[in-house]
Amino acid sequence: MKTLKKIAQCALFTGVTAIVGMTSAQAALPIQHWTLANGAKIYLVSTNALPIVDVQVDFDAGSRRDPAPQAGLASTTAAMVEKGVRAGKNGEPALDQNALGEAWADLGASFDVSAGTDRTSYSLRTLSDPALLNKAVALASREIGEPAFPDDVWQRERERINAAIKEANTKPATVAGRAFGQAVYGVHPYGQEVTEATLARIDTATMRQRYQQLMLPCRAKLSIVGAVTRAEAETMATALLSRLPSAESCPALPTIAPVAELTAPKDERIPFDSAQAHVFIGQPGYPRKDPDHFALTLGNYVLGGGGFVSRLTNEVREKRGLTYSIYSGFAPGLDAGAFRIGFQTRPDQAEQAIKVSREVLAKFVAEGPTASELKAAKDNLIGGFPLLLDSNRKLIGNVANIAWHDLPLDYLDTWTARMNAVTAAEVKAAFERKLQPARMVTVVVGGK
């Protein structure tokens, strides 16, 4: 066992994760897709480049499904999954957080749980050696399906999170982000923020109830990348989900109303004793499934996503020295995540920086990129595409993205061609459809 542990730790934790010799041809690795008898959807990339297997299991159980009075339920539930497992249905003893940590260390494997806006994700990384793989899958299945949600641990965790919230509320960036989210999203769940009040309404009984309702095998999407065959992947997937609550049917989850468009501009100024004013300008953007995604990605690189070569950086920082850095970006999800321009500046310069940023945005929406700007954006994004696929860890992220958003299985194969085919006129048209500079939210936190 010590030999296996040493091999595992060497392969997984010494940073040697790059897949040697990977080029853009990596995108040609085929994605196999099928559905298990329990309804779970499997996406597999079988590659023997390294003796490693990465697995990501996703459920529609992100914060957008939190009841408003219990905002934060998704993230706290995810965090508590790793605090211990109850006695197993197959007679295994209960394990607390320390025992779980030791068990994973002995296997030289890693397991993580996280919750974002749209989904709750379980991530497993282990060596493909059957002696380790089978044990890692068995342990992961216990964390996925048999979390203990110990009440005494939750009481301590709640106090720790409360302290973190209080500390965060003393920072202008926190205040600005919360105000921006509420102004952009209104009553939509994307705008919900965990507070001391919502945290007080969350208990372990609610976590267990949430699990029973949302974590059903029929709702799982499993992405698997590594040195396993289809048959081995199916066995793994079945085992990983085997301890989840069983259900005779798989009822559809409640529909969530889409993010509402802004009908008028909103301007919020919040006094804050800080050396820098934090500024956000934006609006609802677009869902990831939108066909304008490629055009908007390229256009945003020109506008404010390309760092020092972007228009916003050139006009606001380089020409006028109003900020050290400025950016723009979309955050597409299952619904219309926000478009945002963000920067910090001296409070006495905030108005001028806002004026220039709005002018740059309005001009770009009205005119689109120049031919040279579009070419530079394509050269950078297409040239960097192989770097998005040069390790198991990066590849699993891309496969999980395809699975989650129901993208075509050849998405990685066609990515370069689709990006290359975008014209300046298409970028201009996409930005005109998605952005309304005259109806945006502006939030400034800092100064008087």
Side-chain angles (χ1 to χ4, degrees):
M1 183 61 199
K2 288 183 179 180
T3 302
L4 290 175
K5 179 180 177 181
K6 184 178 292 186
I7 294 172
Q9 290 174 333
C10 180
L12 293 181
F13 298 115
T14 57
V16 186
T17 57
I19 297 180
V20 179
M22 186 173 292
T23 66
S24 58
Q26 178 67 62
L29 283 173
I31 299 176
Q32 302 178 60
H33 170 51
W34 69 98
T35 302
L36 297 180
N38 60 15
K41 294 177 171 57
I42 314 300
Y43 295 77
L44 168 68
V45 172
S46 184
T47 170
N48 293 315
L50 285 175
I52 290 175
V53 179
D54 282 286
V55 183
Q56 183 167 318
V57 187
D58 291 319
F59 291 89
D60 186 348
S63 62
R64 73 190 191 118
R65 297 211 173 271
D66 288 352
Q70 294 172 309
L73 179 58
S75 59
T76 54
T77 300
M80 283 296 294
V81 167
E82 298 185 79
K83 303 304 181 183
V85 295
R86 61 182 184 270
K89 66 180 184 180
N90 296 327
E92 303 96 335
L95 300 173
D96 63 15
Q97 184 179 5
N98 291 332
L100 274 177
E102 292 175 359
W104 284 117
D106 286 341
L107 293 172
S110 64
F111 182 84
D112 299 290
V113 189
S114 62
T117 304
D118 292 327
R119 52 182 158 169
T120 291
S121 303
Y122 303 83
S123 301
L124 169 66
R125 165 167 267 221
T126 178
L127 288 178
S128 57
D129 183 300
L132 292 171
L133 177 62
N134 294 337
K135 292 180 180 179
V137 168
L139 185 57
S141 74
R142 293 197 64 191
E143 286 207 46
I144 293 173
E146 297 171 342
F149 297 122
D151 192 65
D152 58 332
V153 175
W154 170 236
Q155 299 304 323
R156 294 196 301 270
E157 279 296 294
R158 182 157 54 190
E159 290 303 312
R160 182 188 65 78
I161 299 170
N162 266 325
I165 291 173
K166 291 178 181 178
E167 170 66 19
N169 286 337
T170 67
K171 303 179 185 300
T174 301
V175 177
R178 181 186 302 122
F180 180 79
Q182 291 172 348
V184 169
Y185 295 120
V187 298
H188 190 276
Y190 274 10
Q192 294 177 176
E193 289 277 348
V194 58
T195 66
E196 294 174 78
T198 66
L199 202 62
R201 301 186 188 102
I202 297 173
D203 56 25
T204 53
T206 309
M207 295 178 186
R208 295 187 184 95
Q209 182 182 34
R210 189 179 199 275
Y211 234 73
Q212 291 289 330
Q213 293 172 341
L214 299 180
M215 305 301 180
L216 301 179
C218 58
R219 298 197 180 120
K221 289 188 174 183
L222 291 88
S223 303
I224 304 171
V225 173
V228 291
T229 64
R230 173 167 173 155
E232 291 168 336
E234 180 152 342
T235 299
M236 287 174 55
T238 302
L240 284 169
L241 303 176
S242 62
R243 300 172 191 251
L244 281 171
S246 58
E248 296 181 0
S249 62
C250 193
L253 291 170
T255 300
I256 297 174
V259 175
E261 294 184 0
L262 299 179
T263 58
K266 300 179 182 179
D267 201 315
E268 189 166 356
R269 310 301 169 104
I270 302 175
F272 203 99
D273 184 14
S274 59
Q276 294 279 299
H278 290 247
V279 180
F280 291 131
I281 304 169
Q283 64 165 84
Y286 67 97
R288 178 58 185 81
K289 63 184 179 182
D290 194 293
D292 282 337
H293 175 72
F294 284 91
L296 293 167
T297 299
L298 278 167
N300 183 68
Y301 182 91
V302 176
L303 174 62
F308 287 105
V309 300
S310 70
R311 285 196 189 183
L312 284 168
T313 296
N314 184 54
E315 294 295 333
V316 181
R317 172 190 157 131
E318 298 300 321
K319 288 186 178 181
R320 296 170 176 85
L322 297 173
T323 183
Y324 180 76
S325 66
I326 184 170
Y327 68 89
S328 68
F330 292 93
L334 293 180
D335 210 324
F339 166 79
R340 178 188 319 224
I341 294 173
F343 60 88
Q344 299 175 39
T345 188
R346 286 204 328 255
D348 62 303
Q349 296 179 331
E351 294 305 323
Q352 184 185 2
I354 291 169
K355 180 177 181 292
V356 175
S357 299
R358 286 173 171 165
E359 290 172 350
V360 172
L361 173 63
K363 180 179 174 64
F364 187 81
V365 172
E367 300 178 0
T370 65
S372 60
E373 286 175 327
L374 184 61
K375 182 181 184 304
K378 288 182 178 181
D379 288 346
N380 184 279
L381 294 175
I382 293 173
F385 182 64
L387 299 179
L388 303 178
L389 303 166
D390 64 356
S391 72
N392 256 37
R393 195 180 299 279
K394 293 178 183 179
L395 193 53
I396 188 69
N398 279 281
V399 174
N401 180 57
I402 290 169
W404 185 249
H405 293 289
D406 293 320
L407 301 177
L409 294 182
D410 65 351
Y411 176 78
L412 297 177
D413 298 307
T414 61
W415 189 94
T416 297
R418 293 183 66 184
M419 192 68 81
N420 232 342
V422 175
T423 66
E426 289 172 336
V427 172
K428 175 178 178 292
F431 270 75
E432 286 179 333
R433 283 191 289 268
K434 298 300 185 296
L435 298 186
Q436 298 80 42
R439 300 205 302 262
M440 288 192 174
V441 165
T442 301
V443 172
V444 183
V445 175
K448 300 179 181 180

